[in-house]
Amino acid sequence: MRYFIIIITLSFSFLLKSCGIYNFTGASPVNAKTFQVNYFQNNAPLVEPGIERTFTLELQDIIQNQTNLNLVSQGGELLYEGEIVDYRITPMTATADQRAAQNRLTITINVRFSNKNKEEDNFEKRFSFFYDFDANQQLVGAQLTTALDVIFERITQDIFNESLAKW
């Protein structure tokens, strides 16, 4: 019986130890304790006021919520910076009388990621996503907020995956 308890205890400790690297967010182990997200300027030809602040905060939130890294305003071991380079509304489908039935809002963000502890992880890349909406609706107020939530959720998750999850 004593031998059985020892085996169970050892098995359980090995099981816990082997789960130490895995986490539920998919982030790879990172040799860093801090991250910094610089303000993303809106350099798109069509400017929607306030989206640069919203995006910057959303990127900070996803990294804070999915890692144990600490957000700092200067000197972060991981640095995210860039700019919003495109904000575009385009017609997607037409009606029989050649009018737009559906429009698409597309936002593209250029991101520069730097890892001071592992420079081979550094990259500069564009991330883009879209939101389709009825052409008869104005993209303002709650409709715009919903569109930005959908787009920024996808883009920030893609940035997180590229920089920390290595997917």
Side-chain angles (χ1 to χ4, degrees):
M1 182 68 167
R2 182 171 185 217
Y3 183 68
F4 179 73
I5 293 174
I6 292 173
I7 289 176
I8 295 295
T9 304
L10 286 175
S11 298
F12 187 69
S13 65
F14 284 126
L15 179 65
L16 288 178
K17 181 68 173 162
S18 66
C19 293
I21 291 182
Y22 180 78
N23 65 46
F24 293 106
T25 65
S28 300
V30 177
N31 185 20
K33 291 187 179 5
T34 61
F35 76 99
Q36 172 183 339
V37 177
N38 287 349
Y39 192 74
F40 279 72
Q41 293 294 323
N42 190 350
N43 295 338
L46 179 61
V47 174
E48 178 64 38
I51 67 170
E52 62 277 8
R53 180 179 185 279
T54 302
F55 176 77
T56 302
L57 293 173
E58 295 249 350
L59 183 57
Q60 290 173 352
D61 287 347
I62 193 170
I63 297 167
Q64 282 184 307
N65 292 338
Q66 295 191 19
T67 69
N68 60 356
L69 298 170
N70 295 313
L71 175 64
V72 295
S73 58
Q74 290 182 343
E77 295 167 275
L78 306 179
L79 173 63
Y80 296 84
E81 57 187 351
E83 51 280 331
I84 299 170
V85 295
D86 197 19
Y87 179 98
R88 175 182 317 235
I89 299 174
T90 52
M92 292 306 298
T93 58
T95 62
D97 59 350
Q98 299 300 314
R99 294 192 318 183
Q102 192 174 41
N103 289 332
R104 174 172 284 179
L105 169 62
T106 304
I107 298 177
T108 304
I109 300 177
N110 187 56
V111 177
R112 289 177 297 281
F113 171 74
S114 302
N115 182 339
K116 291 181 181 178
N117 300 326
K118 193 174 179 187
E119 290 187 11
E120 58 268 20
D121 286 353
N122 296 357
F123 66 81
E124 181 170 358
K125 185 175 179 179
R126 287 183 178 212
F127 296 87
S128 183
F129 200 63
F130 61 89
Y131 179 82
D132 292 336
F133 61 99
D134 190 286
N136 295 326
Q137 293 181 332
Q138 292 271 335
L139 199 56
V140 294
Q143 180 80 2
L144 177 60
T145 300
T146 300
L148 293 176
D149 287 346
V150 168
I151 293 170
F152 289 162
E153 180 179 347
R154 175 64 178 265
I155 291 175
T156 57
Q157 188 64 56
D158 288 348
I159 294 167
F160 177 85
N161 290 345
E162 183 76 21
S163 61
L164 296 172
K166 307 291 188 253
W167 289 7

